[in-house]
Amino acid sequence: MPDRIVGEIPKSARESIRVSLREKGGTLGCDLRVAVTTGHGPMRETPKGIRIPLARLADVIEALQEVQRLAGSIDQ
């Protein structure tokens, strides 16, 4: 299966977080990588990032939702 980019979240004017479904070693995983642009050509991924096994994805989503809930309860 070819890599499939499913989203990009802007981080700054030059960087974004690229979310991909990627096969590595015969198994699928969710890959989160920093992608950068130099202003010439398409954005390129850096080695910075993490790979989440699909079996753990629900746990990560749950933890992120908890962070979002907690952050919403903090007076800013």
Side-chain angles (χ1 to χ4, degrees):
M1 171 182 184
D3 294 349
R4 182 173 179 182
I5 298 170
V6 296
E8 287 206 29
I9 301 134
K11 189 174 166 187
S12 68
R14 293 186 48 225
E15 294 182 322
S16 68
I17 300 167
R18 186 171 284 174
V19 182
S20 302
L21 181 62
R22 182 165 289 161
E23 184 177 359
K24 185 174 180 181
T27 60
L28 286 174
C30 176
D31 210 57
L32 303 172
R33 298 274 153 213
V34 174
V36 297
T37 183
T38 60
H40 305 290
M43 297 198 67
R44 298 197 184 271
E45 291 181 1
T46 71
K48 294 179 182 179
I50 62 168
R51 177 179 175 79
I52 303 165
L54 292 182
R56 306 305 324 182
L57 195 54
D59 297 327
V60 173
I61 291 169
E62 185 178 328
L64 291 172
Q65 288 173 330
E66 180 65 9
V67 168
Q68 186 178 38
R69 185 188 71 74
L70 290 171
S73 68
I74 297 171
D75 293 333
Q76 296 182 19

Short mmCIF file of all heavy atoms in Angstrom, two decimals:
data_model
loop_
_atom_site.label_atom_id
_atom_site.label_comp_id
_atom_site.label_asym_id
_atom_site.label_seq_id
_atom_site.Cartn_x
_atom_site.Cartn_y
_atom_site.Cartn_z
N MET A 1 0.85 -1.18 0.00
CA MET A 1 0.00 0.00 0.00
C MET A 1 0.89 1.25 0.00
O MET A 1 1.78 1.37 0.83
CB MET A 1 -0.88 -0.02 1.25
CG MET A 1 -1.64 1.25 1.46
SD MET A 1 -2.59 1.19 2.98
CE MET A 1 -3.41 2.74 2.83
N PRO A 2 0.62 2.16 -0.89
CA PRO A 2 1.40 3.41 -0.88
C PRO A 2 1.02 4.28 0.31
O PRO A 2 -0.09 4.19 0.83
CB PRO A 2 1.02 4.09 -2.20
CG PRO A 2 -0.28 3.48 -2.60
CD PRO A 2 -0.33 2.11 -1.99
N ASP A 3 1.96 5.12 0.75
CA ASP A 3 1.69 6.06 1.84
C ASP A 3 0.51 6.93 1.44
O ASP A 3 0.36 7.31 0.28
CB ASP A 3 2.90 6.95 2.10
CG ASP A 3 4.08 6.16 2.64
OD1 ASP A 3 3.91 4.98 3.01
OD2 ASP A 3 5.18 6.73 2.70
N ARG A 4 -0.29 7.26 2.43
CA ARG A 4 -1.45 8.12 2.16
C ARG A 4 -1.46 9.26 3.17
O ARG A 4 -1.64 9.03 4.37
CB ARG A 4 -2.72 7.30 2.26
CG ARG A 4 -3.95 8.10 1.96
CD ARG A 4 -5.14 7.19 1.91
NE ARG A 4 -6.31 7.99 1.63
CZ ARG A 4 -7.51 7.50 1.56
NH1 ARG A 4 -7.71 6.22 1.74
NH2 ARG A 4 -8.53 8.28 1.32
N ILE A 5 -1.25 10.47 2.69
CA ILE A 5 -1.33 11.66 3.55
C ILE A 5 -2.80 11.95 3.79
O ILE A 5 -3.57 12.10 2.84
CB ILE A 5 -0.63 12.87 2.91
CG1 ILE A 5 0.85 12.58 2.70
CG2 ILE A 5 -0.82 14.12 3.76
CD1 ILE A 5 1.58 13.61 1.86
N VAL A 6 -3.20 11.99 5.05
CA VAL A 6 -4.60 12.22 5.37
C VAL A 6 -4.86 13.61 5.95
O VAL A 6 -6.01 14.02 6.07
CB VAL A 6 -5.17 11.14 6.33
CG1 VAL A 6 -5.14 9.79 5.66
CG2 VAL A 6 -4.39 11.09 7.62
N GLY A 7 -3.79 14.34 6.28
CA GLY A 7 -3.98 15.70 6.77
C GLY A 7 -2.67 16.40 7.06
O GLY A 7 -1.64 15.76 7.22
N GLU A 8 -2.74 17.72 7.07
CA GLU A 8 -1.60 18.56 7.44
C GLU A 8 -2.11 19.65 8.36
O GLU A 8 -3.10 20.31 8.06
CB GLU A 8 -0.92 19.17 6.22
CG GLU A 8 -0.14 18.15 5.45
CD GLU A 8 1.01 18.73 4.64
OE1 GLU A 8 1.58 19.75 5.05
OE2 GLU A 8 1.34 18.13 3.63
N ILE A 9 -1.44 19.81 9.48
CA ILE A 9 -1.82 20.81 10.46
C ILE A 9 -0.72 21.87 10.48
O ILE A 9 0.42 21.55 10.82
CB ILE A 9 -1.98 20.17 11.86
CG1 ILE A 9 -3.05 19.08 11.79
CG2 ILE A 9 -2.32 21.21 12.91
CD1 ILE A 9 -2.67 17.82 12.46
N PRO A 10 -1.04 23.11 10.10
CA PRO A 10 -0.02 24.16 10.11
C PRO A 10 0.56 24.35 11.51
O PRO A 10 -0.16 24.38 12.51
CB PRO A 10 -0.78 25.41 9.67
CG PRO A 10 -1.99 24.90 8.97
CD PRO A 10 -2.34 23.61 9.64
N LYS A 11 1.88 24.43 11.57
CA LYS A 11 2.59 24.65 12.83
C LYS A 11 3.17 26.06 12.85
O LYS A 11 3.20 26.71 13.88
CB LYS A 11 3.71 23.60 12.93
CG LYS A 11 4.41 23.53 14.22
CD LYS A 11 5.39 22.36 14.24
CE LYS A 11 6.34 22.51 15.39
NZ LYS A 11 7.40 21.53 15.38
N SER A 12 3.66 26.51 11.71
CA SER A 12 4.18 27.86 11.54
C SER A 12 4.12 28.17 10.04
O SER A 12 3.60 27.38 9.27
CB SER A 12 5.63 27.96 12.04
OG SER A 12 6.50 27.22 11.20
N ALA A 13 4.68 29.31 9.64
CA ALA A 13 4.66 29.66 8.22
C ALA A 13 5.48 28.69 7.37
O ALA A 13 5.20 28.52 6.19
CB ALA A 13 5.20 31.08 8.03
N ARG A 14 6.46 28.02 8.00
CA ARG A 14 7.33 27.12 7.24
C ARG A 14 7.17 25.65 7.58
O ARG A 14 7.73 24.80 6.92
CB ARG A 14 8.79 27.51 7.49
CG ARG A 14 9.15 28.87 6.91
CD ARG A 14 10.62 29.18 7.03
NE ARG A 14 11.43 28.07 6.57
CZ ARG A 14 12.51 27.59 7.20
NH1 ARG A 14 12.90 28.13 8.32
NH2 ARG A 14 13.20 26.59 6.71
N GLU A 15 6.42 25.33 8.64
CA GLU A 15 6.31 23.95 9.09
C GLU A 15 4.86 23.53 9.26
O GLU A 15 4.00 24.34 9.58
CB GLU A 15 7.00 23.75 10.44
CG GLU A 15 8.49 23.94 10.43
CD GLU A 15 9.08 23.67 11.80
OE1 GLU A 15 8.47 24.04 12.82
OE2 GLU A 15 10.16 23.08 11.84
N SER A 16 4.63 22.25 9.06
CA SER A 16 3.32 21.67 9.36
C SER A 16 3.54 20.28 9.93
O SER A 16 4.63 19.71 9.82
CB SER A 16 2.44 21.62 8.12
OG SER A 16 2.94 20.69 7.18
N ILE A 17 2.51 19.76 10.56
CA ILE A 17 2.54 18.38 11.05
C ILE A 17 1.76 17.57 10.03
O ILE A 17 0.57 17.82 9.80
CB ILE A 17 1.90 18.27 12.44
CG1 ILE A 17 2.65 19.14 13.45
CG2 ILE A 17 1.86 16.80 12.90
CD1 ILE A 17 1.92 19.34 14.75
N ARG A 18 2.42 16.61 9.41
CA ARG A 18 1.81 15.78 8.38
C ARG A 18 1.35 14.46 9.01
O ARG A 18 2.12 13.77 9.65
CB ARG A 18 2.80 15.52 7.25
CG ARG A 18 2.18 14.79 6.09
CD ARG A 18 3.13 14.75 4.93
NE ARG A 18 3.16 16.05 4.27
CZ ARG A 18 3.98 16.36 3.29
NH1 ARG A 18 4.86 15.48 2.86
NH2 ARG A 18 3.94 17.56 2.75
N VAL A 19 0.08 14.14 8.80
CA VAL A 19 -0.51 12.91 9.32
C VAL A 19 -0.69 11.96 8.15
O VAL A 19 -1.37 12.30 7.17
CB VAL A 19 -1.87 13.18 10.00
CG1 VAL A 19 -2.46 11.91 10.58
CG2 VAL A 19 -1.74 14.27 11.06
N SER A 20 -0.08 10.78 8.25
CA SER A 20 -0.13 9.82 7.14
C SER A 20 -0.45 8.42 7.63
O SER A 20 -0.15 8.05 8.77
CB SER A 20 1.24 9.74 6.43
OG SER A 20 1.64 10.99 5.95
N LEU A 21 -1.06 7.65 6.75
CA LEU A 21 -1.20 6.21 6.95
C LEU A 21 -0.06 5.60 6.16
O LEU A 21 0.04 5.80 4.95
CB LEU A 21 -2.56 5.73 6.42
CG LEU A 21 -2.85 4.25 6.59
CD1 LEU A 21 -2.88 3.87 8.07
CD2 LEU A 21 -4.18 3.89 5.94
N ARG A 22 0.82 4.91 6.86
CA ARG A 22 2.05 4.45 6.23
C ARG A 22 2.32 2.99 6.59
O ARG A 22 2.13 2.57 7.72
CB ARG A 22 3.21 5.32 6.69
CG ARG A 22 4.53 4.99 6.08
CD ARG A 22 5.53 6.11 6.31
NE ARG A 22 5.15 7.24 5.48
CZ ARG A 22 5.55 8.48 5.67
NH1 ARG A 22 6.35 8.79 6.67
NH2 ARG A 22 5.17 9.45 4.87
N GLU A 23 2.78 2.25 5.60
CA GLU A 23 3.17 0.86 5.83
C GLU A 23 4.68 0.81 6.02
O GLU A 23 5.45 1.41 5.28
CB GLU A 23 2.78 0.00 4.63
CG GLU A 23 3.08 -1.46 4.82
CD GLU A 23 2.63 -2.32 3.65
OE1 GLU A 23 2.06 -1.78 2.68
OE2 GLU A 23 2.87 -3.53 3.71
N LYS A 24 5.10 0.11 7.07
CA LYS A 24 6.52 -0.06 7.34
C LYS A 24 6.71 -1.46 7.92
O LYS A 24 6.03 -1.82 8.88
CB LYS A 24 7.02 1.00 8.32
CG LYS A 24 8.51 0.96 8.56
CD LYS A 24 8.96 2.11 9.42
CE LYS A 24 10.47 2.03 9.62
NZ LYS A 24 10.95 3.10 10.46
N GLY A 25 7.59 -2.21 7.34
CA GLY A 25 7.84 -3.57 7.81
C GLY A 25 6.62 -4.47 7.69
O GLY A 25 6.45 -5.38 8.48
N GLY A 26 5.76 -4.17 6.73
CA GLY A 26 4.58 -4.98 6.52
C GLY A 26 3.39 -4.66 7.40
O GLY A 26 2.36 -5.32 7.31
N THR A 27 3.52 -3.65 8.27
CA THR A 27 2.39 -3.27 9.12
C THR A 27 2.04 -1.80 8.90
O THR A 27 2.90 -0.97 8.63
CB THR A 27 2.70 -3.49 10.62
OG1 THR A 27 3.83 -2.69 10.97
CG2 THR A 27 2.99 -4.95 10.91
N LEU A 28 0.75 -1.51 9.04
CA LEU A 28 0.27 -0.14 8.88
C LEU A 28 0.35 0.60 10.21
O LEU A 28 0.17 0.01 11.27
CB LEU A 28 -1.19 -0.14 8.42
CG LEU A 28 -1.45 -0.52 6.98
CD1 LEU A 28 -2.95 -0.61 6.73
CD2 LEU A 28 -0.82 0.48 6.04
N GLY A 29 0.62 1.88 10.11
CA GLY A 29 0.66 2.73 11.29
C GLY A 29 0.30 4.15 10.93
O GLY A 29 0.27 4.53 9.77
N CYS A 30 0.01 4.93 11.95
CA CYS A 30 -0.24 6.35 11.78
C CYS A 30 1.09 7.06 12.01
O CYS A 30 1.72 6.90 13.04
CB CYS A 30 -1.28 6.82 12.81
SG CYS A 30 -1.57 8.60 12.76
N ASP A 31 1.51 7.82 11.03
CA ASP A 31 2.79 8.49 11.06
C ASP A 31 2.55 9.99 11.21
O ASP A 31 1.79 10.58 10.44
CB ASP A 31 3.54 8.20 9.76
CG ASP A 31 5.03 8.19 9.92
OD1 ASP A 31 5.52 7.41 10.75
OD2 ASP A 31 5.70 8.95 9.21
N LEU A 32 3.16 10.61 12.21
CA LEU A 32 3.10 12.06 12.41
C LEU A 32 4.50 12.60 12.20
O LEU A 32 5.42 12.27 12.96
CB LEU A 32 2.62 12.39 13.83
CG LEU A 32 1.27 11.81 14.24
CD1 LEU A 32 1.03 12.06 15.72
CD2 LEU A 32 0.16 12.40 13.42
N ARG A 33 4.69 13.42 11.18
CA ARG A 33 6.01 13.96 10.84
C ARG A 33 5.93 15.45 10.66
O ARG A 33 4.93 16.00 10.19
CB ARG A 33 6.52 13.39 9.51
CG ARG A 33 6.72 11.94 9.48
CD ARG A 33 8.08 11.55 10.00
NE ARG A 33 7.95 10.22 10.53
CZ ARG A 33 8.60 9.74 11.56
NH1 ARG A 33 9.48 10.47 12.18
NH2 ARG A 33 8.41 8.53 11.99
N VAL A 34 7.01 16.13 10.99
CA VAL A 34 7.14 17.55 10.69
C VAL A 34 7.53 17.66 9.22
O VAL A 34 8.43 16.97 8.75
CB VAL A 34 8.21 18.21 11.59
CG1 VAL A 34 8.45 19.65 11.17
CG2 VAL A 34 7.80 18.13 13.05
N ALA A 35 6.82 18.51 8.49
CA ALA A 35 7.14 18.79 7.10
C ALA A 35 7.52 20.26 7.01
O ALA A 35 6.92 21.11 7.67
CB ALA A 35 5.96 18.48 6.19
N VAL A 36 8.55 20.55 6.22
CA VAL A 36 9.03 21.93 6.10
C VAL A 36 9.09 22.36 4.64
O VAL A 36 9.15 21.53 3.74
CB VAL A 36 10.45 22.10 6.73
CG1 VAL A 36 10.41 21.82 8.21
CG2 VAL A 36 11.45 21.23 6.04
N THR A 37 9.07 23.66 4.45
CA THR A 37 9.24 24.21 3.11
C THR A 37 10.40 25.19 3.13
O THR A 37 10.64 25.86 4.13
CB THR A 37 7.98 24.91 2.61
OG1 THR A 37 8.20 25.37 1.27
CG2 THR A 37 7.59 26.10 3.46
N THR A 38 11.11 25.24 2.04
CA THR A 38 12.18 26.22 1.90
C THR A 38 11.72 27.36 1.01
O THR A 38 12.48 28.27 0.73
CB THR A 38 13.43 25.57 1.27
OG1 THR A 38 13.07 25.07 -0.02
CG2 THR A 38 13.95 24.46 2.14
N GLY A 39 10.48 27.27 0.56
CA GLY A 39 9.96 28.28 -0.35
C GLY A 39 10.11 27.89 -1.80
O GLY A 39 9.59 28.54 -2.68
N HIS A 40 10.81 26.79 -2.05
CA HIS A 40 11.02 26.29 -3.41
C HIS A 40 10.56 24.85 -3.48
O HIS A 40 11.19 23.97 -2.90
CB HIS A 40 12.50 26.36 -3.81
CG HIS A 40 13.08 27.73 -3.65
ND1 HIS A 40 12.74 28.78 -4.46
CD2 HIS A 40 13.95 28.23 -2.75
CE1 HIS A 40 13.41 29.86 -4.07
NE2 HIS A 40 14.15 29.55 -3.02
N GLY A 41 9.45 24.60 -4.15
CA GLY A 41 8.96 23.23 -4.29
C GLY A 41 8.05 22.81 -3.16
O GLY A 41 7.72 23.60 -2.27
N PRO A 42 7.64 21.55 -3.18
CA PRO A 42 6.69 21.07 -2.18
C PRO A 42 7.33 20.89 -0.80
O PRO A 42 8.55 20.85 -0.67
CB PRO A 42 6.26 19.71 -2.74
CG PRO A 42 7.42 19.26 -3.57
CD PRO A 42 8.02 20.51 -4.14
N MET A 43 6.48 20.77 0.19
CA MET A 43 6.96 20.54 1.55
C MET A 43 7.61 19.16 1.61
O MET A 43 7.18 18.24 0.93
CB MET A 43 5.81 20.62 2.55
CG MET A 43 5.21 22.01 2.58
SD MET A 43 4.22 22.40 4.01
CE MET A 43 5.36 22.43 5.33
N ARG A 44 8.64 19.05 2.44
CA ARG A 44 9.36 17.78 2.61
C ARG A 44 9.34 17.39 4.07
O ARG A 44 9.50 18.23 4.95
CB ARG A 44 10.79 17.91 2.14
CG ARG A 44 10.90 18.25 0.67
CD ARG A 44 12.30 17.97 0.17
NE ARG A 44 12.45 18.36 -1.20
CZ ARG A 44 12.20 17.57 -2.23
NH1 ARG A 44 11.78 16.35 -2.03
NH2 ARG A 44 12.37 18.00 -3.46
N GLU A 45 9.16 16.09 4.30
CA GLU A 45 9.15 15.59 5.67
C GLU A 45 10.56 15.53 6.24
O GLU A 45 11.51 15.24 5.54
CB GLU A 45 8.52 14.19 5.72
CG GLU A 45 7.05 14.20 5.42
CD GLU A 45 6.43 12.82 5.48
OE1 GLU A 45 7.13 11.84 5.79
OE2 GLU A 45 5.22 12.74 5.21
N THR A 46 10.65 15.80 7.53
CA THR A 46 11.91 15.67 8.25
C THR A 46 11.88 14.35 9.02
O THR A 46 10.82 13.73 9.13
CB THR A 46 12.10 16.83 9.25
OG1 THR A 46 11.18 16.67 10.32
CG2 THR A 46 11.92 18.19 8.58
N PRO A 47 13.00 13.93 9.59
CA PRO A 47 12.98 12.71 10.42
C PRO A 47 12.23 12.90 11.75
O PRO A 47 11.94 11.93 12.43
CB PRO A 47 14.45 12.43 10.69
CG PRO A 47 15.22 13.24 9.72
CD PRO A 47 14.36 14.40 9.34
N LYS A 48 11.93 14.15 12.09
CA LYS A 48 11.25 14.43 13.36
C LYS A 48 9.80 13.96 13.29
O LYS A 48 9.05 14.38 12.42
CB LYS A 48 11.27 15.91 13.68
CG LYS A 48 12.65 16.46 13.95
CD LYS A 48 12.57 17.94 14.24
CE LYS A 48 13.94 18.51 14.47
NZ LYS A 48 13.88 19.96 14.71
N GLY A 49 9.43 13.08 14.20
CA GLY A 49 8.06 12.63 14.24
C GLY A 49 7.93 11.34 15.02
O GLY A 49 8.88 10.86 15.63
N ILE A 50 6.73 10.80 15.00
CA ILE A 50 6.46 9.55 15.69
C ILE A 50 5.57 8.66 14.82
O ILE A 50 4.86 9.14 13.95
CB ILE A 50 5.79 9.75 17.06
CG1 ILE A 50 4.43 10.43 16.91
CG2 ILE A 50 6.68 10.53 18.01
CD1 ILE A 50 3.61 10.42 18.18
N ARG A 51 5.64 7.37 15.11
CA ARG A 51 4.78 6.38 14.45
C ARG A 51 3.93 5.75 15.54
O ARG A 51 4.43 5.29 16.56
CB ARG A 51 5.63 5.34 13.76
CG ARG A 51 4.83 4.24 13.11
CD ARG A 51 5.78 3.26 12.42
NE ARG A 51 5.08 2.14 11.89
CZ ARG A 51 4.40 2.12 10.76
NH1 ARG A 51 4.36 3.21 10.02
NH2 ARG A 51 3.77 1.05 10.33
N ILE A 52 2.63 5.73 15.30
CA ILE A 52 1.69 5.16 16.26
C ILE A 52 1.12 3.88 15.65
O ILE A 52 0.50 3.94 14.58
CB ILE A 52 0.56 6.14 16.59
CG1 ILE A 52 1.12 7.46 17.12
CG2 ILE A 52 -0.43 5.52 17.57
CD1 ILE A 52 0.14 8.60 17.14
N PRO A 53 1.33 2.74 16.32
CA PRO A 53 0.71 1.51 15.82
C PRO A 53 -0.82 1.67 15.80
O PRO A 53 -1.39 2.27 16.73
CB PRO A 53 1.14 0.44 16.81
CG PRO A 53 2.31 1.01 17.54
CD PRO A 53 2.11 2.50 17.53
N LEU A 54 -1.47 1.15 14.78
CA LEU A 54 -2.92 1.31 14.69
C LEU A 54 -3.63 0.74 15.92
O LEU A 54 -4.65 1.28 16.35
CB LEU A 54 -3.45 0.65 13.42
CG LEU A 54 -3.02 1.32 12.11
CD1 LEU A 54 -3.66 0.62 10.92
CD2 LEU A 54 -3.36 2.80 12.09
N ALA A 55 -3.08 -0.30 16.53
CA ALA A 55 -3.69 -0.90 17.72
C ALA A 55 -3.68 0.07 18.90
O ALA A 55 -4.45 -0.10 19.85
CB ALA A 55 -2.96 -2.19 18.09
N ARG A 56 -2.82 1.10 18.90
CA ARG A 56 -2.71 2.06 20.01
C ARG A 56 -3.35 3.40 19.67
O ARG A 56 -3.38 4.32 20.50
CB ARG A 56 -1.25 2.30 20.38
CG ARG A 56 -0.42 1.09 20.71
CD ARG A 56 -0.91 0.16 21.76
NE ARG A 56 -1.59 0.75 22.90
CZ ARG A 56 -2.03 0.05 23.93
NH1 ARG A 56 -1.86 -1.23 23.98
NH2 ARG A 56 -2.66 0.64 24.90
N LEU A 57 -3.85 3.55 18.46
CA LEU A 57 -4.37 4.84 17.99
C LEU A 57 -5.52 5.34 18.87
O LEU A 57 -5.56 6.52 19.22
CB LEU A 57 -4.80 4.73 16.53
CG LEU A 57 -5.03 6.01 15.78
CD1 LEU A 57 -3.83 6.94 15.85
CD2 LEU A 57 -5.38 5.72 14.33
N ALA A 58 -6.44 4.48 19.25
CA ALA A 58 -7.57 4.91 20.09
C ALA A 58 -7.07 5.44 21.44
O ALA A 58 -7.63 6.41 21.97
CB ALA A 58 -8.55 3.75 20.30
N ASP A 59 -6.01 4.84 21.98
CA ASP A 59 -5.44 5.31 23.24
C ASP A 59 -4.87 6.71 23.10
O ASP A 59 -5.03 7.56 23.98
CB ASP A 59 -4.34 4.37 23.73
CG ASP A 59 -4.86 2.97 24.03
OD1 ASP A 59 -6.02 2.84 24.47
OD2 ASP A 59 -4.10 2.02 23.84
N VAL A 60 -4.20 6.96 21.99
CA VAL A 60 -3.61 8.29 21.75
C VAL A 60 -4.72 9.32 21.56
O VAL A 60 -4.65 10.42 22.12
CB VAL A 60 -2.66 8.26 20.53
CG1 VAL A 60 -2.19 9.65 20.16
CG2 VAL A 60 -1.48 7.35 20.81
N ILE A 61 -5.75 8.97 20.80
CA ILE A 61 -6.87 9.89 20.59
C ILE A 61 -7.54 10.22 21.92
O ILE A 61 -7.84 11.38 22.22
CB ILE A 61 -7.88 9.30 19.58
CG1 ILE A 61 -7.25 9.27 18.19
CG2 ILE A 61 -9.19 10.09 19.58
CD1 ILE A 61 -8.04 8.47 17.17
N GLU A 62 -7.73 9.21 22.76
CA GLU A 62 -8.34 9.42 24.08
C GLU A 62 -7.49 10.36 24.93
O GLU A 62 -8.00 11.27 25.58
CB GLU A 62 -8.51 8.08 24.78
CG GLU A 62 -9.23 8.17 26.11
CD GLU A 62 -9.41 6.80 26.74
OE1 GLU A 62 -9.55 5.81 26.03
OE2 GLU A 62 -9.41 6.76 27.99
N ALA A 63 -6.18 10.17 24.91
CA ALA A 63 -5.29 11.04 25.68
C ALA A 63 -5.32 12.47 25.16
O ALA A 63 -5.33 13.43 25.94
CB ALA A 63 -3.86 10.49 25.65
N LEU A 64 -5.35 12.64 23.85
CA LEU A 64 -5.42 13.99 23.27
C LEU A 64 -6.74 14.67 23.61
O LEU A 64 -6.76 15.88 23.89
CB LEU A 64 -5.23 13.92 21.75
CG LEU A 64 -3.84 13.54 21.27
CD1 LEU A 64 -3.84 13.31 19.75
CD2 LEU A 64 -2.81 14.57 21.65
N GLN A 65 -7.82 13.92 23.62
CA GLN A 65 -9.10 14.50 24.00
C GLN A 65 -9.09 14.93 25.47
O GLN A 65 -9.68 15.95 25.82
CB GLN A 65 -10.23 13.50 23.74
CG GLN A 65 -10.52 13.33 22.26
CD GLN A 65 -11.52 12.23 21.97
OE1 GLN A 65 -11.63 11.25 22.71
NE2 GLN A 65 -12.24 12.38 20.87
N GLU A 66 -8.40 14.17 26.31
CA GLU A 66 -8.29 14.54 27.72
C GLU A 66 -7.48 15.83 27.87
O GLU A 66 -7.83 16.71 28.67
CB GLU A 66 -7.66 13.40 28.53
CG GLU A 66 -7.50 13.69 30.00
CD GLU A 66 -8.81 13.88 30.75
OE1 GLU A 66 -9.90 13.63 30.19
OE2 GLU A 66 -8.76 14.30 31.92
N VAL A 67 -6.40 15.96 27.11
CA VAL A 67 -5.62 17.20 27.13
C VAL A 67 -6.49 18.37 26.70
O VAL A 67 -6.47 19.44 27.32
CB VAL A 67 -4.38 17.08 26.21
CG1 VAL A 67 -3.73 18.43 25.98
CG2 VAL A 67 -3.37 16.11 26.79
N GLN A 68 -7.27 18.17 25.64
CA GLN A 68 -8.16 19.23 25.15
C GLN A 68 -9.18 19.61 26.23
O GLN A 68 -9.43 20.78 26.47
CB GLN A 68 -8.87 18.76 23.88
CG GLN A 68 -9.69 19.82 23.22
CD GLN A 68 -10.32 19.32 21.94
OE1 GLN A 68 -10.76 18.18 21.86
NE2 GLN A 68 -10.33 20.16 20.93
N ARG A 69 -9.74 18.61 26.90
CA ARG A 69 -10.72 18.87 27.96
C ARG A 69 -10.08 19.65 29.11
O ARG A 69 -10.60 20.64 29.60
CB ARG A 69 -11.30 17.56 28.47
CG ARG A 69 -12.42 17.74 29.49
CD ARG A 69 -12.83 16.42 30.12
NE ARG A 69 -11.82 15.89 31.03
CZ ARG A 69 -11.55 16.36 32.25
NH1 ARG A 69 -12.19 17.42 32.70
NH2 ARG A 69 -10.63 15.80 33.00
N LEU A 70 -8.90 19.21 29.54
CA LEU A 70 -8.20 19.88 30.64
C LEU A 70 -7.81 21.30 30.26
O LEU A 70 -7.91 22.21 31.08
CB LEU A 70 -6.98 19.07 31.05
CG LEU A 70 -7.24 17.76 31.76
CD1 LEU A 70 -5.94 16.97 31.91
CD2 LEU A 70 -7.90 17.99 33.10
N ALA A 71 -7.33 21.48 29.05
CA ALA A 71 -6.91 22.81 28.61
C ALA A 71 -8.10 23.76 28.57
O ALA A 71 -7.96 24.95 28.86
CB ALA A 71 -6.24 22.74 27.24
N GLY A 72 -9.26 23.23 28.23
CA GLY A 72 -10.47 24.06 28.18
C GLY A 72 -10.93 24.49 29.55
O GLY A 72 -11.64 25.48 29.69
N SER A 73 -10.52 23.76 30.59
CA SER A 73 -10.96 24.10 31.95
C SER A 73 -9.99 25.04 32.66
O SER A 73 -10.24 25.46 33.78
CB SER A 73 -11.13 22.82 32.77
OG SER A 73 -9.87 22.21 33.00
N ILE A 74 -8.87 25.35 32.00
CA ILE A 74 -7.87 26.23 32.60
C ILE A 74 -8.14 27.67 32.15
O ILE A 74 -8.28 27.92 30.95
CB ILE A 74 -6.45 25.82 32.20
CG1 ILE A 74 -6.14 24.41 32.73
CG2 ILE A 74 -5.41 26.83 32.69
CD1 ILE A 74 -4.85 23.82 32.21
N ASP A 75 -8.23 28.60 33.09
CA ASP A 75 -8.41 30.00 32.73
C ASP A 75 -7.15 30.50 32.05
O ASP A 75 -6.06 30.38 32.59
CB ASP A 75 -8.69 30.84 33.97
CG ASP A 75 -10.03 30.51 34.60
OD1 ASP A 75 -10.93 30.05 33.89
OD2 ASP A 75 -10.17 30.73 35.81
N GLN A 76 -7.32 31.07 30.89
CA GLN A 76 -6.15 31.55 30.13
C GLN A 76 -6.11 33.03 30.07
O GLN A 76 -6.95 33.75 30.09
CB GLN A 76 -6.15 30.96 28.73
CG GLN A 76 -5.99 29.47 28.78
CD GLN A 76 -5.93 28.84 27.39
OE1 GLN A 76 -5.65 29.52 26.41
NE2 GLN A 76 -6.16 27.56 27.32
#
